[in-house]
Amino acid sequence: MHTRRTHRRTRTGSTRFRAALLAAALLATACSAGGASRSAGSPAAEAAGSTEAATATLTPLAKSTPSELAPYYEQKLGWRDCGVPGFQCATMKAPLDYAKPTEGDVRLAVARKKATGPGKRIGSLLVNPGGPGGSAIGYLQQYAGIGYPAKVRAQYDMVAVDPRGVARSEPVECLDGREMDAYTQTDVTPDDAGETDELVDAYKKFAEGCGADAPKLLRHVSTVEAARDMDVLRAVLGDEKLNYVGASYGTFLGATYAGLFPDRTGRLVLDGAMDPSLPARRLNLEQTAGFETAFQSFAKDCVKQPDCPLGGKGTTPDQVGKNLKSFFEDLDAKPLPAGDADGRKLTESLATTGVIAAMYDEGAWQQLRESLTSAIKEKDGAGLLILSDSYYEREADGGYSNLMFANAAVNCLDLPAAFSSPDEVRKALPDFEKASPVFGEGLAWSSLNCAYWPVQPTGEPHRIKAAGATPIVVVGTTRDPATPYPWAEALADQLSSGRLLTYEGDGHTAYGRGSTCIDSAINTYLLTGTAPKDGKRCS
């Protein structure tokens, strides 16, 4: 669900793997999953950790634009050269607080690549890779603006805006590079009270850093506010309706736009869909099961290969998982050298992140096998550390993008914490470990971070109906690790005009990942407005 630049040390040559990581979800160590919000029901039910889906529906905003917002809707963008051939950049203003638009602005970075022709220009096509926290501009310049089908780029101005708090749009910052190194190495499978205290302290330090950096902005980086920013951009670009392709968390952002502005919703593609009606704990639990589904698929393939370090032919996926878990436990006791210039070793937490990164695309499975072989048989952790660094957007100089900071800032504002204390995590461990024997424990503890956030959440889970919107294409992949397929089914069912498009396969998201059937259906929709038949399936 988030954009990442390709780490210069990475060995993968798979374009598809990089595209999948451009839409990767973040779970490991730093953040809780999901973009939905507060669980429905009474405060007592919430305190008890209710997992019931919400029944409330997102209410559309008034069709007329409030007069106090007119200066934003009528602003003119000053386009300039981006420094990237073919792209232009600009800065757009939006109110920091839509309820008090006269009390300050937030400046948002926008980029575009104008329609190349020939053929009639349809309008603007806004893209977002998810995260939350992924740079939409990075995604546009590195992938969508050059990699989307030529026919689509010919008829649309390809456009991106970094959401508030993300990348070029007044980015939230929390920790410096060395502090982030320590944070990503924190043990998220604590064995005793001391290790639990260390994990809680790490979450508190992370939260305090974010609060100190941007105390006002941190209260205004919600998905609803980002969706309202997209409507300002739509108007500024001169489009009557918003055309949009969003991946992973970007589907929640796009669906939120449709729920708020159904009459201004154009051709929306929501790929790797989220279910906005689920509370945080259930989101995290179901995503944990999604990673287990993906790992089982990897395990079945791994034992067929001659270089699988986790078992040979005839080894069951469950035994492969036990072998990997045993490797993680060995790392917990004794991290491996990784040849890192900054002296980092491969810890259990970093190795887990590296494995999770490779679950997003089957094109990375060979690299994962090679990295695991080096670590298990040669005691060299470099390969898994490279995968982990790519996931976290750690640069070669030891710095980090603001991806992880923005991710937590949005998630912790959109929804209350999945857990409020270590005791709550311990009680839930059996459920998480049942969902994934390999990843469950770590992902449960990783869901504790929002408990210490300096800003109270403002959102609630809700169903999104978007009554009156034109057909919206919702795409789900049957073995998606990060956005489980049932979420796509749920969102398509909620949307009044939702059309479910299914990819039967592995990996995170489906558009542009090799299925001619999927790509043809989406391209036809974007170019003609004709949505695929609801329930269409591709492989």
Side-chain angles (χ1 to χ4, degrees), residues 387-410:
L387 280 169
S388 178
D389 284 351
S390 172
Y391 191 81
Y392 283 122
E393 288 197 352
R394 186 186 192 270
E395 305 295 347
D397 63 2
Y400 288 76
S401 77
N402 97 307
L403 170 69
M404 303 302 290
F405 313 137
N407 181 275
V410 176

Side-chain angles (χ1 to χ4, degrees), residues 359-379:
M359 292 298 100
Y360 287 91
D361 191 297
E362 64 271 28
W365 289 355
Q366 179 180 347
Q367 182 181 0
L368 178 58
R369 292 196 309 272
E370 292 173 354
S371 298
L372 284 169
T373 297
S374 294
I376 294 172
K377 297 184 177 181
E378 301 167 16
K379 305 304 178 184

Side-chain angles (χ1 to χ4, degrees), residues 478-533:
T478 55
R479 294 186 293 278
D480 191 314
T483 50
Y485 180 68
W487 292 0
E489 294 179 302
L491 180 59
D493 182 64
Q494 291 170 37
L495 292 167
S496 295
S497 60
R499 303 284 182 89
L500 179 63
L501 176 62
T502 298
Y503 174 56
E504 297 176 347
D506 296 293
H508 184 41
T509 71
Y511 185 43
R513 284 175 35 81
S515 169
T516 301
C517 174
I518 290 288
D519 292 354
S520 177
I522 292 176
N523 293 340
T524 297
Y525 171 65
L526 290 175
L527 295 171
T528 70
T530 301
K533 182 181 178 180

Side-chain angles (χ1 to χ4, degrees), residues 183 197 199-210 449 452 454:
Y183 183 73
D197 290 343
L199 179 60
V200 169
D201 287 344
Y203 287 147
K204 288 180 177 179
K205 182 176 180 179
F206 185 96
E208 289 167 0
C210 297
N449 71 312
Y452 309 102

